[in-house]
Amino acid sequence: MKGIRDPKLWPIAEKVEVGERLTFAEGKVLYETRDLPGLMRLANRVRERKHGHKTYFVHSIRVSQTNICYVGCTFCAFQRRFGEEGAWDWEVEEVVAWVRERYQPGLTEIHMTAGHHPKRPFTYYLDLVRALKANFPGVQVKAWTAAEIHHFSKIARLPYKEVLQALKEAGLDAMPGGGAEIFSERVRRQIARAKVSAEGWLEIHRTAHQLGIPTNATMLYGHIETLEERLDHMDRLRRLQDETGGFMSFIPLAFQPDGNLLARKLGKREFTTGLDDLRNLAVARLYLDNIPHIKGYWATLTPELAQVSLDWGVTDIDGTLIEERIVHMAGSPTPQGLSKAALARIILAAGRIPVERDALYREIRVWDRVEA
């Protein structure tokens, strides 16, 4: 492949050209190379082989029915205790009303994640899915991370399979990929000690896939993890995807440094750099050969960097995100939502083809232009 200057990338380029899987050691080379233009070309080669110039987004609303949580992850600025300023805890009817006030024609996805509420029974969550499906027919409910499913399993005293089956029967269409953080136990002990273990997270997604519930996968990076721990995280996802094929996309989430204990302990005030973000996305595209989409999540990257990332392996920039709260409470400087036209304009300006999708990556509309 032309334009690769680093000799260490040459054998990797040969494997990329024929679609051969990269090893862990080769993943480290990708993280260490100074030939960033070469890395970009390799990731873009895979991106265009898989999806051509298509770039996906979804018209979605972000719902968090509560921010009350007992887990205490040190990187989180979202969680509150009972009675604490800024806490909320909505009944099912209040969630429906909140969505109705913000509903926009053509909405296809309700994305719902929240805190680990210590007092709500499992039946509350089943009622919530049923109510959203009844009040907004045709809208897909993509809800609750594996960490929350683990919480439901504890409060209901049911195995993961029965929890997920009950949610599916209530109307759950898909699951987001949050709660994964970094699978390294060294890091989890410091940032998410009380959350579901890495093995538990993977087992919940394995079970969801076996039940026909597609999911996404995330990785929180840019705090105390090493590059080897990032690769280990991707490696465990790649192995599970070989087994089940149920992941739709992989979403690296850049650590947001405001309003959380971890940032204060580390004395960390700066965000990840653009080059670190782009390198991370490119490595993911090259290493995760069996996951269809790498997502450049504009709410943490910024819309501008998400646009650039379309040359670094990214084929999805998420969606309209009506009133996203979780990353914004941690300091994200981006808007709390973008219009469909704004997203399409970002993609078109990068020379790619905007494709509006639903939560399951079914194509709804190809945008060939945006009205002024």
Side-chain angles (χ1 to χ4, degrees), residues 253-304:
L253 299 172
F255 175 63
Q256 306 295 300
D258 285 353
N260 60 72
L261 179 62
L262 182 61
R264 289 196 295 275
K265 286 176 65 176
L266 296 174
K268 190 175 178 67
R269 302 180 65 86
E270 72 278 10
F271 291 83
T272 52
T273 69
L275 285 180
D276 188 21
D277 295 328
L278 293 173
R279 181 195 291 271
N280 204 54
L281 290 162
V283 174
R285 179 60 288 163
L286 291 162
Y287 198 78
L288 295 172
D289 58 345
N290 54 1
I291 294 184
H293 295 279
I294 304 299
K295 187 178 291 188
Y297 186 46
W298 67 260
T300 56
L301 293 177
T302 73
E304 293 80 8

Side-chain angles (χ1 to χ4, degrees), residues 201-213:
W201 190 99
L202 291 163
E203 181 57 29
I204 288 165
H205 281 262
R206 177 182 290 108
T207 305
H209 298 169
Q210 290 168 346
L211 291 171
I213 303 171

Side-chain angles (χ1 to χ4, degrees), residues 52 107-108 146 214:
L107 189 78
T108 54

Side-chain angles (χ1 to χ4, degrees), residues 348-365:
L348 282 169
R352 303 294 186 175
I353 303 169
V355 179
E356 186 178 345
R357 62 168 175 84
D358 67 9
L360 307 178
Y361 280 87
R362 294 181 299 209
E363 296 185 9
I364 295 173
R365 175 188 172 188

Side-chain angles (χ1 to χ4, degrees), residues 87-161:
W88 71 82
D89 180 15
W90 295 337
E91 300 298 331
V92 169
E93 297 75 17
E94 292 176 294
V95 176
V96 171
W98 191 90
V99 174
R100 193 182 303 286
E101 288 173 6
R102 292 155 180 81
Y103 182 86
Q104 298 174 4
L107 189 78
T108 54
E109 176 188 283
I110 295 174
H111 176 122
M112 189 159 47
T113 58
H116 291 40
H117 194 291
K119 295 185 179 179
R120 292 285 188 188
F122 180 49
T123 52
Y124 165 82
Y125 302 96
L126 297 174
D127 291 342
L128 188 46
V129 176
R130 292 190 190 104
L132 290 170
K133 297 293 284 190
N135 283 275
F136 308 101
V139 177
Q140 295 160 325
V141 175
K142 185 181 77 181
W144 298 311
T145 66
E148 290 164 284
I149 299 298
H150 177 73
H151 168 65
F152 300 162
S153 173
K154 289 199 299 183
I155 60 176
R157 299 184 180 182
L158 292 172
Y160 297 149
K161 184 176 181 179

Side-chain angles (χ1 to χ4, degrees), residues 14-323:
E14 291 178 2
K15 294 178 77 171
V16 167
E17 199 58 36
V18 298
E20 188 175 337
R21 173 164 285 185
L22 303 184
T23 65
F24 195 93
E26 289 165 337
K28 286 185 66 179
V29 172
L30 298 177
Y31 266 125
E32 293 166 354
T33 184
R34 299 184 66 178
D35 183 4
L36 290 175
L39 178 63
M40 178 190 70
R41 288 187 177 91
L42 291 174
N44 192 53
R45 177 78 177 95
V46 176
R47 177 241 205 268
E48 294 191 352
R49 185 166 61 213
K50 285 181 176 291
H51 299 288
H53 289 290
K54 287 184 175 180
T55 300
Y56 294 82
F57 68 93
V58 65
H59 192 20
S60 68
I61 188 168
R62 295 293 171 118
V63 182
S64 295
Q65 76 277 1
T66 185
N67 61 349
I68 290 174
C69 184
Y70 65 84
V71 173
C73 298
T74 61
F75 60 84
C76 181
F78 174 77
Q79 63 196 341
R80 294 290 186 276
R81 304 289 183 181
F82 285 108
E84 188 175 355
E85 184 179 356
W88 71 82
D89 180 15
W90 295 337
E91 300 298 331
V92 169
E93 297 75 17
E94 292 176 294
V95 176
V96 171
W98 191 90
V99 174
R100 193 182 303 286
E101 288 173 6
R102 292 155 180 81
Y103 182 86
Q104 298 174 4
L107 189 78
T108 54
E109 176 188 283
I110 295 174
H111 176 122
M112 189 159 47
T113 58
H116 291 40
H117 194 291
K119 295 185 179 179
R120 292 285 188 188
F122 180 49
T123 52
Y124 165 82
Y125 302 96
L126 297 174
D127 291 342
L128 188 46
V129 176
R130 292 190 190 104
L132 290 170
K133 297 293 284 190
N135 283 275
F136 308 101
V139 177
Q140 295 160 325
V141 175
K142 185 181 77 181
W144 298 311
T145 66
E148 290 164 284
I149 299 298
H150 177 73
H151 168 65
F152 300 162
S153 173
K154 289 199 299 183
I155 60 176
R157 299 184 180 182
L158 292 172
Y160 297 149
K161 184 176 181 179
E162 290 187 31
V163 168
L164 288 164
Q165 185 65 49
L167 288 168
K168 183 179 181 183
E169 289 171 1
L172 183 73
D173 295 290
M175 281 173 55
E181 321 318 350
I182 282 279
F183 290 147
S184 160
E185 287 308 313
R186 180 193 73 85
V187 178
R188 295 185 82 82
R189 283 196 297 272
Q190 297 181 64
I191 70 170
R193 181 185 295 272
K195 186 171 273 181
V196 63
S197 67
E199 289 73 20
W201 190 99
L202 291 163
E203 181 57 29
I204 288 165
H205 281 262
R206 177 182 290 108
T207 305
H209 298 169
Q210 290 168 346
L211 291 171
I213 303 171
T215 75
N216 297 317
T218 62
M219 177 178 74
L220 182 70
Y221 69 97
H223 41 88
I224 59 173
E225 86 288 355
T226 66
L227 297 181
E228 287 79 6
E229 286 165 339
R230 292 189 195 181
L231 268 179
D232 168 71
H233 187 96
M234 293 185 203
D235 199 63
R236 296 199 213 188
L237 291 174
R238 191 169 76 175
R239 279 183 273 147
L240 181 55
Q241 182 74 342
D242 278 345
E243 181 184 330
T244 66
F247 288 122
M248 300 180 288
S249 71
F250 174 67
I251 313 151
L253 299 172
F255 175 63
Q256 306 295 300
D258 285 353
N260 60 72
L261 179 62
L262 182 61
R264 289 196 295 275
K265 286 176 65 176
L266 296 174
K268 190 175 178 67
R269 302 180 65 86
E270 72 278 10
F271 291 83
T272 52
T273 69
L275 285 180
D276 188 21
D277 295 328
L278 293 173
R279 181 195 291 271
N280 204 54
L281 290 162
V283 174
R285 179 60 288 163
L286 291 162
Y287 198 78
L288 295 172
D289 58 345
N290 54 1
I291 294 184
H293 295 279
I294 304 299
K295 187 178 291 188
Y297 186 46
W298 67 260
T300 56
L301 293 177
T302 73
E304 293 80 8
L305 194 63
Q307 185 183 45
V308 175
S309 75
L310 302 186
D311 287 337
W312 292 72
V314 165
T315 49
D316 189 301
I317 58 172
D318 205 288
T320 50
L321 310 185
I322 301 169
E323 290 204 22

Side-chain angles (χ1 to χ4, degrees), residues 320-332:
T320 50
L321 310 185
I322 301 169
E323 290 204 22
E324 197 289 328
R325 295 185 182 198
I326 294 176
V327 301
H328 287 87
M329 290 177 74
S332 173

